[in-house]
């Protein structure tokens, strides 16, 4: 299995769960990205057994405001990958960090290292699938959207009109839930379109 050429590198047999995964949001939560230039070690362990499944060194280089480069190195022989981060500013506020995939230069929240491979690339580049559809971002967004509709007294059908404000619910609470719900619905629809080429209704 090579790391060169164009298109997907795997035919769909390999899943995200088979790989070592770097999650930019976890790196931020763990204080690794925001702490300025420094270095350390990342370790992957199985949740159930706490058995270590992988470990590598990292360096964080801050080249300017919001200009961050991560270097990862591991293994014998020595592998080395540099990944740039980028930011977007969502309209609902805050700043969102992304990896720039070292192969396709696309934005990705996660990069994956399949067994025996030498590069951290995005899911699209490796052609990885999810072990469970339920873990895909599309289904997570859809599930969140459906929860909000149910809470407002509606059904799980996201193609139906959005439910109105239930009696006794504050306007601001309703508006907040509605904004959230519509955001999840837009996300699940655009993810469904990118995946299947057609919008997805209720499940
Ligand atoms: Zn990629």
């Amino acid at each position: 299995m090579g790391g060169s050429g164009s298109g997907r590198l795997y035919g769909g047999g390999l899943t995200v769960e088979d790989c070592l995964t770097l999650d930019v949001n976890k790196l931020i939560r763990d204080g690794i990205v925001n702490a300025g230039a420094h270095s350390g070690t990342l370790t992957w362990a199985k949740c159930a057994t706490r058995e270590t499944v992988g470990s590598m060194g990292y360096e964080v280089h801050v080249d300017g405001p919001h200009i961050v480069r991560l270097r990862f190195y591991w293994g014998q022989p020595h592998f080395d990958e540099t990944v740039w981060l980028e930011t977007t500013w969502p309209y609902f506020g805050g700043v969102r960090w992304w990896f720039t995939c070292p192969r396709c230069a696309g934005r990705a929240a996660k990069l994956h290292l399949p067994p025996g491979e030498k590069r951290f690339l995005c899911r699209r580049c490796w052609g990885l699938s999810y072990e469970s559809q339920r873990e895909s971002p599309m289904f997570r967004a859809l599930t969140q959207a459906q929860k909000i509709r149910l809470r407002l007294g509606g059904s799980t059908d996201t193609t139906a009109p959005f439910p109105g404000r239930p009696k006794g619910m504050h306007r601001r609470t309703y508006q907040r839930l509605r904004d959230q719900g519509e955001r999840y619905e837009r996300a699940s629809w655009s993810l469904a379109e990118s995946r299947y080429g057609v919008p997805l209704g209720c499940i």
Side-chain angles (χ1 to χ4, degrees), residues 101 103-105 121-122 125:
C101 171
R103 182 167 179 269
C104 71
L121 302 178
C122 75
C125 276

Side-chain angles (χ1 to χ4, degrees), residues 3-194:
S4 61
S6 61
R8 294 178 166 198
L9 305 177
Y10 287 100
L14 203 66
T15 67
V16 162
E17 290 79 2
D18 293 323
C19 302
L20 291 188
T21 295
L22 286 168
D23 179 339
V24 73
N25 295 305
K26 178 161 170 47
L27 294 182
I28 287 167
R29 277 200 303 277
D30 293 349
I32 286 168
V33 165
N34 287 334
H38 67 290
S39 60
T41 307
L42 294 175
T43 304
W44 284 259
K46 282 186 186 165
C47 291
T49 59
R50 298 188 181 258
E51 172 200 351
T52 301
V53 291
S55 153
M56 66 183 59
Y58 71 87
E59 292 171 4
V60 179
H61 300 270
V62 180
D63 298 337
H66 294 116
I67 304 176
V68 177
R69 174 165 53 94
L70 300 177
R71 181 180 158 232
F72 300 101
Y73 51 94
W74 68 95
Q76 222 34 268
H78 189 74
F79 298 122
D80 210 306
E81 181 91 271
T82 294
V83 180
W84 290 84
L85 298 187
E86 56 187 288
T87 49
T88 55
W89 281 267
Y91 74 93
F92 47 88
V95 58
R96 186 142 189 217
W97 286 87
W98 303 88
F99 292 120
T100 307
C101 171
R103 182 167 179 269
C104 71
R107 271 187 218 135
K110 294 181 182 180
L111 296 177
H112 308 279
L113 176 72
E117 288 289 351
K118 302 162 190 153
R119 305 205 70 188
F120 273 100
L121 302 178
C122 75
R123 195 175 64 83
R124 295 179 298 275
C125 276
W126 288 124
L128 298 171
S129 52
Y130 290 96
E131 205 155 86
S132 156
Q133 282 301 322
R134 299 254 154 223
E135 290 168 42
S136 75
M138 178 181 73
F139 277 82
R140 281 203 311 249
L142 190 61
T143 306
Q144 294 298 327
Q146 288 172 329
K147 270 191 204 163
I148 289 172
R149 280 178 177 259
L150 288 172
R151 188 169 160 194
L152 295 174
S155 75
T156 56
D157 181 2
T158 56
T159 60
F162 202 87
R165 181 168 62 95
K167 277 202 175 84
M169 179 179 276
H170 285 292
R171 273 175 207 286
R172 283 176 60 180
T173 308
Y174 173 74
Q175 196 54 49
R176 183 172 52 79
L177 288 170
R178 179 165 187 149
D179 289 347
Q180 266 178 8
E182 288 179 342
R183 204 149 65 219
Y184 282 126
E185 284 171 26
R186 279 196 301 274
S188 76
W189 280 64
S190 71
L191 288 162
E193 277 176 338
S194 65

